[in-house]
Amino acid sequence: MMDFRSFSGKVIMINDFFVMQNDPDMGCFKLFTVDNGNGAVVNFVVEPTTYFVNHVNVKVGDQVTGFYDINVPVPLIYPPQYRAVVMAKEQRDEFVAVSFFNQQLVSSDGSLQLNINARTPILLENGQTFSGSPVNRNLIVVYSATTRSIPAQTTPKQIIVMC
């Protein structure tokens, strides 16, 4: 099971990331440098498999949130460098959560509970309709309003199942 954390800020630089010398995949990997405005900077390695919420194109100056798995080994360098599993570009009145959601559709950190209705699109990362149950899975959840309860509850705009 993946254990997701996130880091948000402004993209201040985008460069090609070289996995090895004379890399045949040159140009397929990117390094996004993100600054949170409070002195913290993170480098995200963006791979061809990194999921971009709403399939947006990110450029320097955009506000983003990168989600990464804290169980994956990282190099001991500064700034920290994480493999981005999901990238979300900040959108007005839209939030993104990436987490494992249990049998009651509560996130692994206990902060968000999903109330799914018949109109909630549940999709695969490739955009196709998901036909299984979203419980006990890693999900990308796009939502707007939440309750002020603990956990906060929301009816998602969209759910993407990470198979």
Side-chain angles (χ1 to χ4, degrees):
M1 177 173 83
M2 290 190 235
D3 190 3
F4 294 101
R5 295 293 184 273
S6 65
F7 184 85
S8 299
K10 182 187 287 189
V11 177
I12 58 171
M13 196 173 359
I14 299 175
N15 292 311
D16 284 331
F17 181 75
F18 302 100
V19 177
M20 64 182 138
Q21 200 169 22
N22 300 321
D23 188 0
D25 292 325
M26 191 168 110
C28 293
F29 292 78
K30 302 290 182 189
L31 192 67
F32 284 28
T33 303
V34 179
D35 183 339
N36 74 354
N38 294 319
V41 175
V42 164
N43 284 328
F44 283 109
V45 176
V46 176
E47 303 175 353
T49 57
T50 301
Y51 183 81
F52 281 78
V53 176
N54 298 324
H55 304 289
V56 296
N57 190 24
V58 172
K59 61 188 181 316
V60 171
D62 287 343
Q63 289 289 132
V64 298
T65 299
F67 297 88
Y68 57 96
D69 182 357
I70 65 166
N71 295 321
V72 173
V74 297
L76 293 173
I77 58 174
Y78 183 83
Q81 181 174 294
Y82 304 114
R83 291 176 56 204
V85 177
V86 176
M87 292 293 291
K89 184 175 173 180
E90 188 175 295
Q91 304 287 336
R92 173 180 272 151
D93 299 323
E94 185 174 278
F95 305 98
V96 176
V98 179
S99 186
F100 177 83
F101 286 83
N102 66 18
Q103 188 72 32
Q104 289 75 38
L105 290 172
V106 175
S107 62
S108 60
D109 65 1
S111 67
L112 187 65
Q113 182 171 15
L114 308 181
N115 297 320
I116 299 173
N117 65 33
R119 294 183 316 240
T120 303
I122 304 175
L123 307 171
L124 295 168
E125 290 176 278
N126 63 12
Q128 301 304 301
T129 301
F130 177 71
S131 56
S133 171
V135 302
N136 294 323
R137 293 183 179 271
N138 290 315
L139 304 176
I140 303 166
V141 179
V142 181
Y143 63 98
S144 56
T146 63
T147 64
R148 294 181 189 247
S149 60
I150 298 175
Q153 296 182 31
T154 189
T155 302
K157 290 181 178 181
Q158 173 177 277
I159 297 172
I160 297 97
V161 178
M162 301 172 73
C163 291

